[in-house]
């Protein structure tokens, strides 16, 4: 897969950079040959979500130049290579709708010995999706870094919806949290944990999330995993009590 074959945002967005430059200033990057070392650009309307990002968003708290999150993302860009781009794009696409973690939950639920773990993973991923995509993303409507700097070559298509928090990180750490707090087999917990960390990092590599998006998704996912583990534990306890009462 070659870099630069996709651009984030709407068509002809580069022609609008000058128009928007006076609105927002981000970071101190000299990437892409921008004059003065600034990656300056306004917001690109998110038509796929059916609404545009307002210009009055609280950038000082969500994407502050003091935090310099774009500079962190820019620092990652030099490690791009064609083979790594292809690998990252393929892996991150396995969780575009959380499918890799849903599949994990289904497989575990089919196996009798891990049925409870599977249920916890599925519940955790569902809870994470509700909180992230159903509540936080529409409420906060944070533009993505590739909206702020549309000149960055993209290796994936721009995801639908807003940036905060990361849905990929949420789903990944929801699955990991469910296994961790359900005290699943140690090797499985370690493997899924590594997979979750790598999934979160792909979102930074792809320039579609800020570090704080990924951090927030991690926290939400772990909380969803904890809640799911407790739900399954309580349901299992009640089921055992009913069975014991039926035998007496």
């Amino acid at each position: 897969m070659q870099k630069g074959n996709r651009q984030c945002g709407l068509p002809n967005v580069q022609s609008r950079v000058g128009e928007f430059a006076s609105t927002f200033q981000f970071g101190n990057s000299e990437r892409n040959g921008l004059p003065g070392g600034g990656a300056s650009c306004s917001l690109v309307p998110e038509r796929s979500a059916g609404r545009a990002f307002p210009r009055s968003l609280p950038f000082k708290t969500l994407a502050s130049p003091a935090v310099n999150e774009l500079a962190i993302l820019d620092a990652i860009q030099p490690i791009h290579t064609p083979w790594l781009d292809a690998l990252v794009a393929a892996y991150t696409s396995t969780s575009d709708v959380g499918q890799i973690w849903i599949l994990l939950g289904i497989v575990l639920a089919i196996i009798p010995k891990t049925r409870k773990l599977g249920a916890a993973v599925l519940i955790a991923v569902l809870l994470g999706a509700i909180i992230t995509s159903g509540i936080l993303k529409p409420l906060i409507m944070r533009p993505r870094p590739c909206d702020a700097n549309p000149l960055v070559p993209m290796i994936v298509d721009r995801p639908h919806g807003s940036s905060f928090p990361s849905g990929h990180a949420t789903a990944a750490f929801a699955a990991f949290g469910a296994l961790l707090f359900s005290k699943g087999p140690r090797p499985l917990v370690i493997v899924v944990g590594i997979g979750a960390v790598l999934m979160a990092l792909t979102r930074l590599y792809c320039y579609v999330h800020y570090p704080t998006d990924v951090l927030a998704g991690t926290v939400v996912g772990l909380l969803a995993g904890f809640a799911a583990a407790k739900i399954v534990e309580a349901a299992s306890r009640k089921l055992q009590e009913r069975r014991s009462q039926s035998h007496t």
Side-chain angles (χ1 to χ4, degrees), residues 198-228:
L198 293 177
M199 183 62 71
L201 292 176
T202 65
R203 308 312 285 168
L204 305 179
Y205 183 92
C206 292
Y207 216 88
V208 293
H209 278 294
Y210 294 101
T212 48
D213 298 338
V214 171
L215 178 60
T218 298
V219 173
V220 172
L222 289 175
L223 290 175
F226 177 79

Side-chain angles (χ1 to χ4, degrees), residues 14-131:
Q14 293 186 9
S15 64
R16 302 175 62 186
V17 173
E19 173 189 348
F20 294 157
S22 61
T23 307
F24 296 109
Q25 297 291 331
F26 290 93
N28 296 312
S29 172
E30 296 183 357
R31 58 183 287 117
N32 302 313
L34 289 178
S40 57
C41 179
S42 178
L43 306 179
V44 178
E46 173 51 279
R47 289 183 176 175
S48 61
R51 57 188 293 192
F53 291 116
R55 293 174 180 265
S56 59
L57 281 172
F59 272 87
K60 291 184 179 180
T61 57
L62 295 182
S64 173
V67 178
N68 215 4
E69 293 193 77
L70 279 179
I72 296 175
L73 298 182
D74 287 344
I76 299 174
Q77 299 308 299
I79 71 173
H80 277 260
T81 62
W83 69 267
L84 187 56
D85 287 355
L87 183 62
V88 169
Y91 181 56
T92 200
S93 67
T94 63
S95 188
D96 285 346
V97 291
Q99 63 267 37
I100 188 174
W101 314 114
I102 294 173
L103 179 61
L104 172 64
I106 292 174
V107 171
L108 292 174
I110 292 175
I111 303 173
K113 291 184 178 180
T114 59
R115 189 160 293 162
K116 294 179 183 178
L117 292 178
V121 168
L122 293 174
I123 293 173
V125 173
L126 176 61
L127 288 176
I130 292 174
I131 296 171

